[in-house]
Structure formats: C-alpha cells, structure tokens
Amino acid sequence: MQKVKLINIGCKVNFAETSTLKTKLEEKGFTITEKFSDAEIVLINTCTVTNNADSDCRAAIRRAKRESNGAFVGVLGCYAQLNSEKLANMPEVNAVYGIKEKFQIPELLGSQLRESNKSIEVSELISLNFDFAYSADNLARSRCFLKIQDGCDYRCTYCTIPNARGNPRSIPFEQLPEIFREVSDKGFREIVLSGINLGEYNSKNMYYFEDVLHLIAENDFGVRFRISSIEPNLINKKIIDYVCNSQSICKHLHIPLQSGSNKILKLMKRRYTSERLFKDILSIKSINPDVCIGLDVITGFPNETDQDFQQTYKFIENLPVSYLHVFTYSERRNTPAADFPNKVPMKIRKERTNILKQLSNSKLLAFYRGQIGKIHEFLPEKYSENEKIQFGHTSNYLNCKIISDRKLENSFYLVQINEIDTDNKIIATLK
Ligand code: SF4
C-alpha cells in the first residue's frame, strides 16, 4: 500500500488532528513513513495564524515536492481552508482539502491518485460537526493533545481563525470520561486539553469548561491534565481554584494577554481589561505561588505608540508571570485590523518583539530561581542514551533534566529542583 508522510504546522489542535488523520490512514491500509525519499504521498496540515505561518507552509510544500522526488502533495488545515485557490495554483500542489474534508482524505485519495487534474475539496463552513481528535504519536507516549473544543466566534479584529475554523463546537460532555480512560489505557500520562477557544467549551448549553475541570478533579483517570490556553475573560474563581488546588490539574496556565494597554485591547476587540487580568494573576499566585503562568503578546498592532508599548512592558514587568510567547503583528486578509490606519513600521514591530523576548528570558530565569529547593511531580518524556539524561516537565511546566543511567518508566516521580543549567534547563534529582 502507498506510503504517506505527514507534516504538521501550527497549534496543538492541528497536532491532534494530524495524529488522528495518521490513524485513519493506517486503518485504510496506508503506511506511514518519516522519510521524504520513501513517500508517495505527502500531506501537510497548515496554519495561517500569521504571515510567517503562511510562508512556512509554502516553504514546506516546496520542500515536500523536491525531497520526495515528485510525490503527490495534499494540503489541508486552516491555510488551505482560507486560500484554496492560491495553494492550488502552486505547481507543487496536487490536492487541497478544507476543514470539513480533512478526515475524508483516506477515502478521497483513492480516486485523486489516479487523476492528473488538481483537486480542490473545500466546502463552506456551515453545519460543522465536532471532529474528535487526539495526538497519538508523541515518541515518549507520555503526553497527548486532546481536542475537546473547536472554532471561535469572538472575532478579535486581528484574527483570521474564525474564518478558517468556523463557529464554536465541543465534544459531548457524556463522552469525556470514556475518552479520558481510553487515552489513559493507551499509556499516556498527561492529557493537554486543547481547543481553538478552549474556555468556551459548551456541551449543549448544559456543561461548561468548569464542569470539565470538576469531572477531572473528582475522578481518578490515572493521568494529569494540562490546560493548553484560556482567554482572560473566561478565568473565574472556580477555574483558579481547580488550577491551584486540584491534584489532577497541572499548575500551569497559558493566557493570551496580547497587550497591556487598554486602548489597544479595545481596538483588538478583546473582552477584558489589563486591570482585570492583573487581579486574577495576583489571586492565582497568592493561592499557589508555584503556578507557572505564560502569556501571549502581540507587538506592533496598528496605533500602538511607544507609550502604549511601554505600558505593556511595565504591565508585564510587574506581573508574576514566568514566560512570554511574543508575536509580531502581521496583517491578515479579511480582518478589520488589516484596514486600520496608523500602522507601525515593521522595523519597530520587530524591535518591540525583541525587547519583550528579553523580558521573557529574565522572567523565566527568575521563576526558575524561585523554584530551587522545591519538590514537584515530574513526568518523563525523551531519554538521551548518549548523555544519560532523562528530560521531562513538572506539573508547573519546569523543563527538567535528570541524570539517570536508564530511561525512567512512563509514570509520575517526585523530583527536587537543584540548579539551572547553562541551556536554561533545570537540573533535578529524584526524591
Ligand atoms: S479568541 Fe480571538 S484570537 Fe482567539 S481564536 Fe477567537 S478570534 Fe482568534
């Protein structure tokens, strides 16, 4: 049967979907290969969150055709949904699949491989069902990304994702216990709850994200759960309590702040003020100072003056957060912000990104230093036979290495945080 190479670009939801597609291809008799040279078909799951993501996807398509010596190249995912014509015009592309069609690929491939014409299978985003997906190909088989929510209708002015992913939808609540057990039985020990706007989980207007956390906190599924990301407006007392106190929920929150300036947040049509998030973060840290909090920030949004940027810088500097993911604003087609006046020159956007990246490094170091001497729950991931080092993460997302002459079992360990290595990894020892 034909050999397929899969390439994933983008977020945790994409990763989960690529893994599920892999399973569906195998069920249909295709063989998965890691090597371009073996591949007769290359499928690329794309992302369109920024201009950089778009160009990464186009580069991946060109590379796939070149290194596979002319294999059939199919493109799916968000970029494919929004730019099907453009992608179909690339000489390297044989087929384009939309969000609705991605899991039909194993069936569609049969006839497409026989035809010489390009195929565009992209339908409109109406009456979307929830497509279940979780990653199953983490080499260490310790952590799995489980999609429980898809889509978003917030319409933030810079974001193109609602056009690519459609309206919010969620996996039915009643199915969750069985799925959690199934994933645990497969040997995974950490489930990263994933979604496009995860906190908007809503099962038939009866069960919300807090209910998912309640289910997890009240039952032992043999795994720990990590929240991939939550919008600031959706953080509430119950969620804070679960993250700070539940044994089964990782002490880690990733929050898309985007800006510390209320003027910019308003222009972005975000649904919170910086003061509100400030209060919530202080409340989390006062209950449990070990919780790791990361923020997404966008630099150079239209109308962001030096003063606005300074406000963002000072805001983050004063917040007890542990790291930042910094994105340089780029105009996305069909979004309101693309037509906003007072654009910030690209050079300044990038300078601001670099300044925040430096702030992120010092925040991470300060967080790591504050953890020395503490004891945390550790889950092993990759093992390096050459260096005799076991890598993995603690519940509060400390990136640790442990000197060990053997690979540790796929299970939870208590470790003591000892020191910070030159590569900014934490050296820990088993307790
Ligand atoms: S919350 Fe805003 S930024 Fe996030 S996916 Fe929805 S529209 Fe995009």
PDB file of all heavy atoms in Angstrom, residues 74-104:
ATOM      1  N   GLY A  74      -0.685  16.827  -0.898  1.00  0.00           N
ATOM      2  CA  GLY A  74      -2.017  17.295  -0.493  1.00  0.00           C
ATOM      3  C   GLY A  74      -1.882  18.273   0.670  1.00  0.00           C
ATOM      4  O   GLY A  74      -1.051  18.076   1.556  1.00  0.00           O
ATOM      5  N   VAL A  75      -2.689  19.335   0.633  1.00  0.00           N
ATOM      6  CA  VAL A  75      -2.591  20.368   1.663  1.00  0.00           C
ATOM      7  C   VAL A  75      -3.937  20.495   2.368  1.00  0.00           C
ATOM      8  O   VAL A  75      -4.984  20.583   1.711  1.00  0.00           O
ATOM      9  CB  VAL A  75      -2.218  21.728   1.013  1.00  0.00           C
ATOM     10  CG1 VAL A  75      -1.874  22.744   2.088  1.00  0.00           C
ATOM     11  CG2 VAL A  75      -1.051  21.569   0.052  1.00  0.00           C
ATOM     12  N   LEU A  76      -3.912  20.499   3.685  1.00  0.00           N
ATOM     13  CA  LEU A  76      -5.153  20.623   4.463  1.00  0.00           C
ATOM     14  C   LEU A  76      -4.957  21.664   5.565  1.00  0.00           C
ATOM     15  O   LEU A  76      -3.888  22.262   5.666  1.00  0.00           O
ATOM     16  CB  LEU A  76      -5.526  19.266   5.058  1.00  0.00           C
ATOM     17  CG  LEU A  76      -4.501  18.614   5.979  1.00  0.00           C
ATOM     18  CD1 LEU A  76      -5.220  17.913   7.115  1.00  0.00           C
ATOM     19  CD2 LEU A  76      -3.653  17.589   5.207  1.00  0.00           C
ATOM     20  N   GLY A  77      -5.991  21.901   6.366  1.00  0.00           N
ATOM     21  CA  GLY A  77      -5.842  22.794   7.519  1.00  0.00           C
ATOM     22  C   GLY A  77      -6.290  24.216   7.244  1.00  0.00           C
ATOM     23  O   GLY A  77      -6.919  24.519   6.233  1.00  0.00           O
ATOM     24  N   CYS A  78      -5.959  25.114   8.168  1.00  0.00           N
ATOM     25  CA  CYS A  78      -6.512  26.482   8.166  1.00  0.00           C
ATOM     26  C   CYS A  78      -6.092  27.280   6.931  1.00  0.00           C
ATOM     27  O   CYS A  78      -6.914  27.978   6.326  1.00  0.00           O
ATOM     28  CB  CYS A  78      -6.087  27.218   9.434  1.00  0.00           C
ATOM     29  SG  CYS A  78      -6.760  26.482  10.919  1.00  0.00           S
ATOM     30  N   TYR A  79      -4.830  27.225   6.564  1.00  0.00           N
ATOM     31  CA  TYR A  79      -4.360  27.978   5.390  1.00  0.00           C
ATOM     32  C   TYR A  79      -5.054  27.447   4.126  1.00  0.00           C
ATOM     33  O   TYR A  79      -5.469  28.213   3.249  1.00  0.00           O
ATOM     34  CB  TYR A  79      -2.833  27.836   5.297  1.00  0.00           C
ATOM     35  CG  TYR A  79      -2.133  28.724   4.285  1.00  0.00           C
ATOM     36  CD1 TYR A  79      -2.636  29.975   3.932  1.00  0.00           C
ATOM     37  CD2 TYR A  79      -0.925  28.315   3.710  1.00  0.00           C
ATOM     38  CE1 TYR A  79      -1.969  30.784   3.017  1.00  0.00           C
ATOM     39  CE2 TYR A  79      -0.248  29.116   2.794  1.00  0.00           C
ATOM     40  CZ  TYR A  79      -0.789  30.346   2.448  1.00  0.00           C
ATOM     41  OH  TYR A  79      -0.128  31.135   1.543  1.00  0.00           O
ATOM     42  N   ALA A  80      -5.234  26.144   4.076  1.00  0.00           N
ATOM     43  CA  ALA A  80      -5.896  25.530   2.913  1.00  0.00           C
ATOM     44  C   ALA A  80      -7.362  25.957   2.841  1.00  0.00           C
ATOM     45  O   ALA A  80      -7.904  26.209   1.753  1.00  0.00           O
ATOM     46  CB  ALA A  80      -5.787  24.012   3.002  1.00  0.00           C
ATOM     47  N   GLN A  81      -8.014  26.047   3.998  1.00  0.00           N
ATOM     48  CA  GLN A  81      -9.421  26.452   4.016  1.00  0.00           C
ATOM     49  C   GLN A  81      -9.580  27.881   3.481  1.00  0.00           C
ATOM     50  O   GLN A  81     -10.490  28.172   2.721  1.00  0.00           O
ATOM     51  CB  GLN A  81      -9.966  26.379   5.451  1.00  0.00           C
ATOM     52  CG  GLN A  81     -11.399  26.833   5.616  1.00  0.00           C
ATOM     53  CD  GLN A  81     -12.423  25.891   4.989  1.00  0.00           C
ATOM     54  OE1 GLN A  81     -12.265  24.667   5.040  1.00  0.00           O
ATOM     55  NE2 GLN A  81     -13.462  26.447   4.374  1.00  0.00           N
ATOM     56  N   LEU A  82      -8.674  28.763   3.879  1.00  0.00           N
ATOM     57  CA  LEU A  82      -8.825  30.182   3.538  1.00  0.00           C
ATOM     58  C   LEU A  82      -8.199  30.569   2.198  1.00  0.00           C
ATOM     59  O   LEU A  82      -8.540  31.597   1.639  1.00  0.00           O
ATOM     60  CB  LEU A  82      -8.207  31.057   4.637  1.00  0.00           C
ATOM     61  CG  LEU A  82      -8.953  31.075   5.965  1.00  0.00           C
ATOM     62  CD1 LEU A  82      -8.343  32.088   6.905  1.00  0.00           C
ATOM     63  CD2 LEU A  82     -10.428  31.395   5.753  1.00  0.00           C
ATOM     64  N   ASN A  83      -7.267  29.796   1.713  1.00  0.00           N
ATOM     65  CA  ASN A  83      -6.540  30.169   0.489  1.00  0.00           C
ATOM     66  C   ASN A  83      -6.456  29.005  -0.487  1.00  0.00           C
ATOM     67  O   ASN A  83      -5.388  28.741  -1.055  1.00  0.00           O
ATOM     68  CB  ASN A  83      -5.119  30.643   0.839  1.00  0.00           C
ATOM     69  CG  ASN A  83      -5.143  31.948   1.604  1.00  0.00           C
ATOM     70  OD1 ASN A  83      -5.245  33.024   1.014  1.00  0.00           O
ATOM     71  ND2 ASN A  83      -5.067  31.855   2.912  1.00  0.00           N
ATOM     72  N   SER A  84      -7.572  28.328  -0.692  1.00  0.00           N
ATOM     73  CA  SER A  84      -7.512  27.102  -1.504  1.00  0.00           C
ATOM     74  C   SER A  84      -7.050  27.385  -2.940  1.00  0.00           C
ATOM     75  O   SER A  84      -6.230  26.644  -3.484  1.00  0.00           O
ATOM     76  CB  SER A  84      -8.868  26.409  -1.502  1.00  0.00           C
ATOM     77  OG  SER A  84      -9.877  27.312  -1.876  1.00  0.00           O
ATOM     78  N   GLU A  85      -7.541  28.498  -3.540  1.00  0.00           N
ATOM     79  CA  GLU A  85      -7.170  28.801  -4.936  1.00  0.00           C
ATOM     80  C   GLU A  85      -5.674  29.071  -5.038  1.00  0.00           C
ATOM     81  O   GLU A  85      -4.995  28.559  -5.924  1.00  0.00           O
ATOM     82  CB  GLU A  85      -7.940  30.035  -5.439  1.00  0.00           C
ATOM     83  CG  GLU A  85      -9.437  29.831  -5.551  1.00  0.00           C
ATOM     84  CD  GLU A  85      -9.821  28.894  -6.706  1.00  0.00           C
ATOM     85  OE1 GLU A  85      -9.033  28.775  -7.652  1.00  0.00           O
ATOM     86  OE2 GLU A  85     -10.897  28.278  -6.608  1.00  0.00           O
ATOM     87  N   LYS A  86      -5.194  29.904  -4.102  1.00  0.00           N
ATOM     88  CA  LYS A  86      -3.777  30.279  -4.119  1.00  0.00           C
ATOM     89  C   LYS A  86      -2.893  29.028  -4.000  1.00  0.00           C
ATOM     90  O   LYS A  86      -1.908  28.862  -4.724  1.00  0.00           O
ATOM     91  CB  LYS A  86      -3.500  31.244  -2.959  1.00  0.00           C
ATOM     92  CG  LYS A  86      -2.105  31.779  -2.939  1.00  0.00           C
ATOM     93  CD  LYS A  86      -1.969  32.833  -1.865  1.00  0.00           C
ATOM     94  CE  LYS A  86      -0.532  33.347  -1.860  1.00  0.00           C
ATOM     95  NZ  LYS A  86      -0.342  34.403  -0.888  1.00  0.00           N
ATOM     96  N   LEU A  87      -3.268  28.135  -3.081  1.00  0.00           N
ATOM     97  CA  LEU A  87      -2.463  26.927  -2.896  1.00  0.00           C
ATOM     98  C   LEU A  87      -2.579  26.005  -4.105  1.00  0.00           C
ATOM     99  O   LEU A  87      -1.597  25.396  -4.541  1.00  0.00           O
ATOM    100  CB  LEU A  87      -2.885  26.196  -1.623  1.00  0.00           C
ATOM    101  CG  LEU A  87      -2.422  26.873  -0.330  1.00  0.00           C
ATOM    102  CD1 LEU A  87      -2.986  26.170   0.889  1.00  0.00           C
ATOM    103  CD2 LEU A  87      -0.896  26.875  -0.250  1.00  0.00           C
ATOM    104  N   ALA A  88      -3.792  25.929  -4.669  1.00  0.00           N
ATOM    105  CA  ALA A  88      -3.967  25.056  -5.845  1.00  0.00           C
ATOM    106  C   ALA A  88      -3.141  25.571  -7.030  1.00  0.00           C
ATOM    107  O   ALA A  88      -2.744  24.778  -7.893  1.00  0.00           O
ATOM    108  CB  ALA A  88      -5.445  24.990  -6.225  1.00  0.00           C
ATOM    109  N   ASN A  89      -2.865  26.862  -7.042  1.00  0.00           N
ATOM    110  CA  ASN A  89      -2.048  27.415  -8.128  1.00  0.00           C
ATOM    111  C   ASN A  89      -0.562  27.128  -7.972  1.00  0.00           C
ATOM    112  O   ASN A  89       0.213  27.365  -8.893  1.00  0.00           O
ATOM    113  CB  ASN A  89      -2.248  28.936  -8.234  1.00  0.00           C
ATOM    114  CG  ASN A  89      -3.569  29.235  -8.908  1.00  0.00           C
ATOM    115  OD1 ASN A  89      -4.073  28.422  -9.698  1.00  0.00           O
ATOM    116  ND2 ASN A  89      -4.160  30.384  -8.597  1.00  0.00           N
ATOM    117  N   MET A  90      -0.171  26.637  -6.805  1.00  0.00           N
ATOM    118  CA  MET A  90       1.259  26.284  -6.668  1.00  0.00           C
ATOM    119  C   MET A  90       1.515  25.021  -7.491  1.00  0.00           C
ATOM    120  O   MET A  90       0.768  24.036  -7.364  1.00  0.00           O
ATOM    121  CB  MET A  90       1.611  26.017  -5.189  1.00  0.00           C
ATOM    122  CG  MET A  90       1.679  27.271  -4.340  1.00  0.00           C
ATOM    123  SD  MET A  90       2.137  26.902  -2.616  1.00  0.00           S
ATOM    124  CE  MET A  90       3.900  26.529  -2.780  1.00  0.00           C
ATOM    125  N   PRO A  91       2.563  25.013  -8.323  1.00  0.00           N
ATOM    126  CA  PRO A  91       2.796  23.841  -9.172  1.00  0.00           C
ATOM    127  C   PRO A  91       3.041  22.568  -8.374  1.00  0.00           C
ATOM    128  O   PRO A  91       2.800  21.455  -8.852  1.00  0.00           O
ATOM    129  CB  PRO A  91       4.041  24.224  -9.991  1.00  0.00           C
ATOM    130  CG  PRO A  91       4.617  25.435  -9.343  1.00  0.00           C
ATOM    131  CD  PRO A  91       3.535  26.082  -8.547  1.00  0.00           C
ATOM    132  N   GLU A  92       3.503  22.722  -7.120  1.00  0.00           N
ATOM    133  CA  GLU A  92       3.834  21.528  -6.310  1.00  0.00           C
ATOM    134  C   GLU A  92       2.587  20.842  -5.746  1.00  0.00           C
ATOM    135  O   GLU A  92       2.647  19.697  -5.297  1.00  0.00           O
ATOM    136  CB  GLU A  92       4.716  21.932  -5.112  1.00  0.00           C
ATOM    137  CG  GLU A  92       6.091  22.457  -5.479  1.00  0.00           C
ATOM    138  CD  GLU A  92       6.092  23.967  -5.761  1.00  0.00           C
ATOM    139  OE1 GLU A  92       4.993  24.582  -5.722  1.00  0.00           O
ATOM    140  OE2 GLU A  92       7.169  24.506  -6.027  1.00  0.00           O
ATOM    141  N   VAL A  93       1.431  21.554  -5.723  1.00  0.00           N
ATOM    142  CA  VAL A  93       0.250  21.031  -5.016  1.00  0.00           C
ATOM    143  C   VAL A  93      -0.640  20.188  -5.939  1.00  0.00           C
ATOM    144  O   VAL A  93      -0.981  20.607  -7.039  1.00  0.00           O
ATOM    145  CB  VAL A  93      -0.559  22.206  -4.407  1.00  0.00           C
ATOM    146  CG1 VAL A  93      -1.892  21.733  -3.855  1.00  0.00           C
ATOM    147  CG2 VAL A  93       0.253  22.885  -3.302  1.00  0.00           C
ATOM    148  N   ASN A  94      -1.036  19.003  -5.468  1.00  0.00           N
ATOM    149  CA  ASN A  94      -1.958  18.151  -6.236  1.00  0.00           C
ATOM    150  C   ASN A  94      -3.387  18.225  -5.721  1.00  0.00           C
ATOM    151  O   ASN A  94      -4.335  18.051  -6.481  1.00  0.00           O
ATOM    152  CB  ASN A  94      -1.510  16.680  -6.175  1.00  0.00           C
ATOM    153  CG  ASN A  94      -0.150  16.494  -6.802  1.00  0.00           C
ATOM    154  OD1 ASN A  94       0.868  16.635  -6.137  1.00  0.00           O
ATOM    155  ND2 ASN A  94      -0.120  16.233  -8.095  1.00  0.00           N
ATOM    156  N   ALA A  95      -3.542  18.440  -4.424  1.00  0.00           N
ATOM    157  CA  ALA A  95      -4.903  18.486  -3.876  1.00  0.00           C
ATOM    158  C   ALA A  95      -4.959  19.405  -2.661  1.00  0.00           C
ATOM    159  O   ALA A  95      -3.987  19.505  -1.902  1.00  0.00           O
ATOM    160  CB  ALA A  95      -5.354  17.076  -3.472  1.00  0.00           C
ATOM    161  N   VAL A  96      -6.117  20.079  -2.510  1.00  0.00           N
ATOM    162  CA  VAL A  96      -6.333  20.963  -1.356  1.00  0.00           C
ATOM    163  C   VAL A  96      -7.612  20.487  -0.656  1.00  0.00           C
ATOM    164  O   VAL A  96      -8.633  20.246  -1.315  1.00  0.00           O
ATOM    165  CB  VAL A  96      -6.502  22.433  -1.800  1.00  0.00           C
ATOM    166  CG1 VAL A  96      -6.612  23.358  -0.574  1.00  0.00           C
ATOM    167  CG2 VAL A  96      -5.344  22.883  -2.685  1.00  0.00           C
ATOM    168  N   TYR A  97      -7.551  20.343   0.673  1.00  0.00           N
ATOM    169  CA  TYR A  97      -8.704  19.878   1.446  1.00  0.00           C
ATOM    170  C   TYR A  97      -9.077  20.906   2.502  1.00  0.00           C
ATOM    171  O   TYR A  97      -8.196  21.462   3.174  1.00  0.00           O
ATOM    172  CB  TYR A  97      -8.378  18.569   2.175  1.00  0.00           C
ATOM    173  CG  TYR A  97      -7.758  17.515   1.292  1.00  0.00           C
ATOM    174  CD1 TYR A  97      -6.375  17.369   1.248  1.00  0.00           C
ATOM    175  CD2 TYR A  97      -8.546  16.673   0.509  1.00  0.00           C
ATOM    176  CE1 TYR A  97      -5.790  16.397   0.448  1.00  0.00           C
ATOM    177  CE2 TYR A  97      -7.967  15.701  -0.292  1.00  0.00           C
ATOM    178  CZ  TYR A  97      -6.583  15.571  -0.321  1.00  0.00           C
ATOM    179  OH  TYR A  97      -6.016  14.614  -1.105  1.00  0.00           O
ATOM    180  N   GLY A  98     -10.363  21.144   2.694  1.00  0.00           N
ATOM    181  CA  GLY A  98     -10.830  22.106   3.696  1.00  0.00           C
ATOM    182  C   GLY A  98     -10.978  21.466   5.064  1.00  0.00           C
ATOM    183  O   GLY A  98     -10.729  20.273   5.256  1.00  0.00           O
ATOM    184  N   ILE A  99     -11.447  22.285   6.012  1.00  0.00           N
ATOM    185  CA  ILE A  99     -11.618  21.833   7.401  1.00  0.00           C
ATOM    186  C   ILE A  99     -12.615  20.665   7.474  1.00  0.00           C
ATOM    187  O   ILE A  99     -12.402  19.696   8.200  1.00  0.00           O
ATOM    188  CB  ILE A  99     -12.123  23.023   8.259  1.00  0.00           C
ATOM    189  CG1 ILE A  99     -11.020  24.079   8.385  1.00  0.00           C
ATOM    190  CG2 ILE A  99     -12.659  22.590   9.613  1.00  0.00           C
ATOM    191  CD1 ILE A  99      -9.834  23.706   9.225  1.00  0.00           C
ATOM    192  N   LYS A 100     -13.700  20.756   6.690  1.00  0.00           N
ATOM    193  CA  LYS A 100     -14.717  19.704   6.731  1.00  0.00           C
ATOM    194  C   LYS A 100     -14.227  18.400   6.109  1.00  0.00           C
ATOM    195  O   LYS A 100     -14.719  17.325   6.434  1.00  0.00           O
ATOM    196  CB  LYS A 100     -15.947  20.164   5.940  1.00  0.00           C
ATOM    197  CG  LYS A 100     -17.072  20.701   6.784  1.00  0.00           C
ATOM    198  CD  LYS A 100     -18.270  20.961   5.892  1.00  0.00           C
ATOM    199  CE  LYS A 100     -19.511  21.194   6.687  1.00  0.00           C
ATOM    200  NZ  LYS A 100     -20.671  21.455   5.846  1.00  0.00           N
ATOM    201  N   GLU A 101     -13.303  18.520   5.161  1.00  0.00           N
ATOM    202  CA  GLU A 101     -12.909  17.349   4.362  1.00  0.00           C
ATOM    203  C   GLU A 101     -11.691  16.612   4.909  1.00  0.00           C
ATOM    204  O   GLU A 101     -11.359  15.533   4.435  1.00  0.00           O
ATOM    205  CB  GLU A 101     -12.599  17.772   2.915  1.00  0.00           C
ATOM    206  CG  GLU A 101     -13.802  18.212   2.102  1.00  0.00           C
ATOM    207  CD  GLU A 101     -14.325  19.588   2.444  1.00  0.00           C
ATOM    208  OE1 GLU A 101     -13.585  20.352   3.098  1.00  0.00           O
ATOM    209  OE2 GLU A 101     -15.477  19.905   2.092  1.00  0.00           O
ATOM    210  N   LYS A 102     -11.015  17.211   5.925  1.00  0.00           N
ATOM    211  CA  LYS A 102      -9.688  16.670   6.276  1.00  0.00           C
ATOM    212  C   LYS A 102      -9.713  15.186   6.670  1.00  0.00           C
ATOM    213  O   LYS A 102      -8.802  14.446   6.312  1.00  0.00           O
ATOM    214  CB  LYS A 102      -9.001  17.508   7.345  1.00  0.00           C
ATOM    215  CG  LYS A 102      -9.736  17.573   8.641  1.00  0.00           C
ATOM    216  CD  LYS A 102      -9.009  18.440   9.630  1.00  0.00           C
ATOM    217  CE  LYS A 102      -9.855  18.626  10.839  1.00  0.00           C
ATOM    218  NZ  LYS A 102     -10.799  19.728  10.797  1.00  0.00           N
ATOM    219  N   PHE A 103     -10.777  14.748   7.379  1.00  0.00           N
ATOM    220  CA  PHE A 103     -10.777  13.342   7.785  1.00  0.00           C
ATOM    221  C   PHE A 103     -11.376  12.415   6.720  1.00  0.00           C
ATOM    222  O   PHE A 103     -11.492  11.217   6.919  1.00  0.00           O
ATOM    223  CB  PHE A 103     -11.475  13.179   9.139  1.00  0.00           C
ATOM    224  CG  PHE A 103     -10.673  13.783  10.271  1.00  0.00           C
ATOM    225  CD1 PHE A 103     -11.302  14.455  11.304  1.00  0.00           C
ATOM    226  CD2 PHE A 103      -9.289  13.674  10.291  1.00  0.00           C
ATOM    227  CE1 PHE A 103     -10.561  15.014  12.334  1.00  0.00           C
ATOM    228  CE2 PHE A 103      -8.528  14.222  11.322  1.00  0.00           C
ATOM    229  CZ  PHE A 103      -9.178  14.905  12.339  1.00  0.00           C
ATOM    230  N   GLN A 104     -11.786  13.023   5.588  1.00  0.00           N
ATOM    231  CA  GLN A 104     -12.227  12.173   4.467  1.00  0.00           C
ATOM    232  C   GLN A 104     -11.064  11.858   3.532  1.00  0.00           C
ATOM    233  O   GLN A 104     -11.229  11.172   2.526  1.00  0.00           O
ATOM    234  CB  GLN A 104     -13.322  12.881   3.671  1.00  0.00           C
ATOM    235  CG  GLN A 104     -14.595  13.098   4.463  1.00  0.00           C
ATOM    236  CD  GLN A 104     -15.458  14.197   3.861  1.00  0.00           C
ATOM    237  OE1 GLN A 104     -15.324  14.547   2.698  1.00  0.00           O
ATOM    238  NE2 GLN A 104     -16.322  14.761   4.666  1.00  0.00           N
TER     239      GLN A 104
END
